[in-house]
Amino acid sequence: MAEPYAEQHSGSSPAPYRERASRLTGAVVWTRAAEPGDAAPVLPDGCMDLLWTEGRLFVAGPDTRAYLSDEPGGPRRYAGVRFFPGTAPSYLGVPAHELRDRRVDLADLWDGGEVRRLTERVDAAADPAAALEAVAVGRAAGAGAPDPRLRAVVAALSAGAAVAATAEEVGWSERQLHRRALVAFGYGPKTLARVLRLQRALALVRGGGAAAEVAVVAGFADQAHLAREVRELAGAPLGELLRR
């Protein structure tokens, strides 16, 4: 995997799910098959996704809590491009905070005629995931590159740095960091730090770490603090997440 962060995504689903590194730096391409009644909670991870399902292109904004999708109707196929945190707004042309905790049709963000043509192209493709990735790559090629300081923000907060220290590292004031974070990540740096810390803790626990030790390593005050954050951000106790 090109980026360790991509391996930490915690969308939990009983249906088949696969992902691979994308041609876009830090992004991953994923596919999922959903059966009727599937409940697929997706945990906050700081990312945004461009998604396809038959006849529809849409965007998943940055989540501040677990998102639960209940699949209606018959079996459905999904494909997605999950962008590294902070990069999607440059490619999609919309501030992340406008999409926070939302799933929005791409036609509401881009030209409707263009989206219809793109949807038909992905629908007809033998490999919809590759076709969707081509849409993302083409869009990125015509857009301005994301500010490289945003990646430094993610790295610093992922490592447990304080918000003030992170702002100083990238040469912004705390107010500037907060304003830029809203546009790039969908929420302020303190919330982003909580989300990244949760993902770091879940990765450590899934790797076999004991919850008490993981809490300390991941930057929580103690195991009780870890448990509270998991319940608040993931909507379920840690043990239940692991059983999924």
Side-chain angles (χ1 to χ4, degrees):
M1 191 70 64
E3 292 286 343
Y5 185 84
E7 298 174 359
Q8 299 176 11
H9 177 77
S10 297
S12 301
S13 170
Y17 173 91
R18 298 289 184 271
E19 69 175 39
R20 62 169 174 80
S22 171
R23 288 182 283 154
L24 284 174
T25 302
V28 296
V29 178
W30 58 267
T31 59
R32 175 176 174 260
E35 296 295 331
D38 276 355
V42 179
L43 307 190
D45 60 5
C47 299
M48 292 172 58
D49 291 52
L50 175 63
L51 303 108
W52 165 87
T53 189
E54 287 96 335
R56 185 188 181 202
L57 292 175
F58 60 111
V59 175
D63 293 319
T64 60
R65 56 187 180 273
Y67 174 80
L68 184 63
S69 174
D70 188 12
E71 311 296 346
R76 300 182 71 87
R77 294 181 299 155
Y78 287 87
V81 177
R82 183 178 311 116
F83 301 100
F84 188 85
T87 61
S90 294
Y91 302 148
L92 300 179
V94 61
H97 63 82
E98 294 186 7
L99 303 179
R100 184 172 53 234
D101 293 318
R102 299 175 63 199
R103 271 58 181 164
V104 178
D105 284 336
L106 192 59
D108 292 336
L109 307 177
W110 296 1
D111 176 74
E114 178 189 7
V115 172
R116 283 192 297 274
R117 290 190 294 272
L118 292 174
T119 303
E120 291 171 358
R121 183 187 308 168
V122 179
D123 281 347
D127 184 349
L132 184 68
E133 181 185 23
V135 171
V137 169
R139 183 73 179 192
D147 190 326
R149 289 172 291 186
L150 296 171
R151 185 172 288 269
V153 168
V154 174
L157 295 178
S158 293
V163 171
T166 300
E168 182 176 0
E169 178 180 334
V170 298
W172 293 332
S173 68
E174 289 189 57
R175 181 174 296 182
Q176 286 175 315
L177 173 58
H178 184 82
R179 184 173 64 249
R180 291 171 185 263
L182 288 178
V183 173
F185 306 112
Y187 28 65
K190 291 184 179 179
T191 298
L192 177 62
R194 290 179 66 202
V195 167
L196 297 175
R197 183 176 59 187
L198 171 70
Q199 288 290 335
R200 185 164 65 250
L202 292 176
L204 290 170
V205 172
R206 291 191 176 107
E213 297 175 356
V214 165
V216 175
V217 172
F220 295 89
D222 50 31
Q223 186 175 347
H225 183 204
L226 168 61
R228 289 194 302 272
E229 286 288 274
V230 169
R231 280 183 173 273
E232 184 169 342
L233 293 173
L238 180 59
E240 182 177 331
L241 292 180
L242 296 178
R243 285 193 296 275
R244 291 175 182 166

